[in-house]
Amino acid sequence: MDLTKYMKKGLVEQKPGQILAFAAYTNKIPNIVKFTIGEPDFNTPDHIKKAAEQSIEDNHSHYAPSNGTPGLRKAASEFLAEKYGQKYDPDEILVTNGVTESIYDMLTAVLNPGDVMVIPTPIFPLYIGDAISLGAKVVQIDTSKDGFKLKPEKLQAVIDEYGDRVRLLVMNYPTNPTGVMYSQEELNAIADVIRDKPIFALCDEIYNELNYDQEHASMEKTLHDQVVLMNGVSKAWAMTGYRIGIVAAPKPILDQIAKIHQAITTTEPTPMQDAAEEAFANGKDDALPMKEEFKKRRDVLVEGLEKLGFDCVQPQGAFYVFAKIPEGLEQDDTKLIYDLADNAHVAVTAGSFFAKGGAGYVRLSYAVAMDQIEEGLKRLAKYVEEHQK
C-alpha cells in the first residue's frame, strides 16, 4: 500500500526546495565559486559570542518563556523603536526559530482553506509553499515589467477579482532575490489599497539593516494595525545559525500567532536568545562595516556582469544581484545554472526558482569574499566567450 496517497493533499502541489537541491548539487563540485549562499560570510561579533558563552556558563539551560525571554523582547522592542520608529511593547514581540518559523506561524494563524494570499514576485518561494500546504490560493503578481515593484493598481485589480477571499498580502523589502527597496511613498500607496479591509500585511524586513542608497522604509509606519512585522538577527549580525527571529504585531493578533508557535516549538534555546538580546541591545551599529563591504562587492559584481552582457537590477539592499541572461546564452535559467556549475565551476541560482517573473534571470549573492567575486567573474567571462552564439 502506498500510504503517501493518503497524506496531506497540499503537499502534492508543493515543489521540493529547488534552491536547497541545487546547493546540495554544487557542494559536490570541487573548487566551485558559489554565488548562491544567502548568508553573510562575516563572523558574529565577539560581544555577541561572549554573551552566548556567558549564558551557558550561567546555566541558562532551562525553558525560556514561550514568547521569548523578557530581556530579548525588551531589547528588540527598544531596537525597533530607536532605529526605525516602530513602536511595539515587549509583550507585542514573539521570538521564533528564525523568520522561517515566523512566516509559518503567521500564515497558519491567518489563512483558512480557500483564502487568497497575494504576493508580488519574483520572491523567495517559502511563503508560497507554506500557503499552498495550508490550502490557500496563492495569487502571484509578476512585477518584472514594473521595475520589480508591486504597483497599487495591480493589487487593487486582484482585490476586485477575489473580493472578500483576499486575506493576506506578503511584502518583503529589501527584496530577495532582486535587492529592490521601496520608498516610503510607494509603500504608503500600497497600504492605502488594503487600509480598513480585513487583509493582513506580512512585512518581512529581515534585510532592513542592509539598505545602501536610502533610509529604510516600512509599511508599518502607515498601517500599524494591519501589519505583522518580521525581523531577526540572521542577516545584520551574521547569526544565521543562531536561529532567532521575531514577530511584532498588535497584541490581539500576536496572541493568536503565539498559539501556533507554542504548538510547534514551545520556545527557543535560551543561550541563543541571550545572544540575540546582546545584539539588539548593544550591537545597534554592528552591521555598518558589513554594509560598507557589501556595497563595494555589489558595485564590482554589477559592473563585471554588465560588461559581460547581463542586464542587472540595481540592488538597493540585501546582498543579491538579479541579472537577465544575455542573448546568445542558454535562456532556460535552470539548464544554464547546471551547465555553469559543471563547466565553469560557478554556482548561481535560477531566477525561475523565485516564481513568476524570474524566468530568464539568475540571482547572484555577493555575500562572498571579494577575491571569490573576482575569480567568479573571470570564469563567467570565459564561459560567455565560449558559449555565446
Side-chain angles (χ1 to χ4, degrees), residues 129-354:
D130 283 354
I132 290 173
S133 71
L134 293 167
K137 178 177 180 57
V138 178
V139 176
Q140 301 179 32
I141 299 180
D142 181 352
T143 66
S144 59
K145 300 294 191 296
D146 298 311
F148 294 96
K149 293 183 181 183
L150 175 64
K151 296 298 182 182
E153 58 270 21
K154 292 193 174 180
L155 174 59
Q156 184 64 59
V158 171
I159 294 174
D160 291 343
E161 180 177 356
Y162 290 96
D164 291 342
R165 289 179 61 193
V166 178
R167 189 64 61 237
L168 177 65
L169 168 66
V170 174
M171 296 292 293
N172 165 229
Y173 47 82
T175 304
N176 178 8
T178 64
V180 164
M181 184 63 203
Y182 291 80
S183 70
Q184 191 61 53
E185 291 72 21
E186 288 169 328
L187 290 177
N188 292 350
I190 294 168
D192 286 341
V193 177
I194 65 171
R195 189 181 310 281
D196 298 325
K197 294 182 175 69
I199 300 173
F200 296 84
L202 186 164
C203 294
D204 183 350
E205 300 187 4
I206 189 63
Y207 295 102
N208 66 339
E209 287 284 280
L210 299 176
N211 279 307
Y212 307 119
D213 303 318
Q214 66 177 70
E215 289 187 7
H216 180 72
S218 176
M219 192 177 290
E220 184 277 334
K221 292 181 180 179
T222 188
L223 199 70
H224 179 87
D225 291 346
Q226 290 173 240
V227 162
V228 176
L229 185 74
M230 297 182 183
N231 212 314
V233 297
S234 294
K235 311 301 184 182
W237 290 276
M239 294 171 66
T240 53
Y242 286 66
R243 305 311 302 138
I244 297 295
I246 61 167
V247 182
K251 194 172 187 305
I253 296 173
L254 192 77
D255 286 347
Q256 303 309 309
I257 297 172
K259 293 177 183 178
I260 307 301
H261 166 72
Q262 291 168 9
I264 62 174
T265 63
T266 306
T267 187
E268 307 316 316
T270 308
M272 301 300 97
Q273 294 196 56
D274 290 344
E277 176 185 342
E278 173 67 18
F280 281 123
N282 299 310
K284 292 183 175 65
D285 294 324
D286 282 353
L288 292 179
M290 182 164 44
K291 185 164 70 170
E292 288 304 310
E293 179 61 26
F294 280 148
K295 283 182 68 175
K296 294 176 185 176
R297 297 177 186 181
R298 176 197 66 176
D299 294 344
V300 169
L301 183 57
V302 169
E303 182 181 359
L305 288 171
E306 290 183 340
K307 284 181 179 178
L308 298 178
F310 289 86
D311 185 11
C312 299
V313 181
Q314 182 64 26
Q316 299 163 305
F319 35 65
Y320 308 108
V321 176
F322 206 55
K324 189 166 182 58
I325 300 168
E327 293 183 9
L329 291 184
E330 171 62 62
Q331 294 298 299
D332 183 320
D333 50 39
T334 302
K335 289 182 180 178
L336 178 65
I337 65 167
Y338 278 93
D339 196 54
L340 276 171
D342 290 336
N343 295 307
H345 287 193
V346 175
V348 301
T349 307
S352 58
F353 291 177
F354 300 94

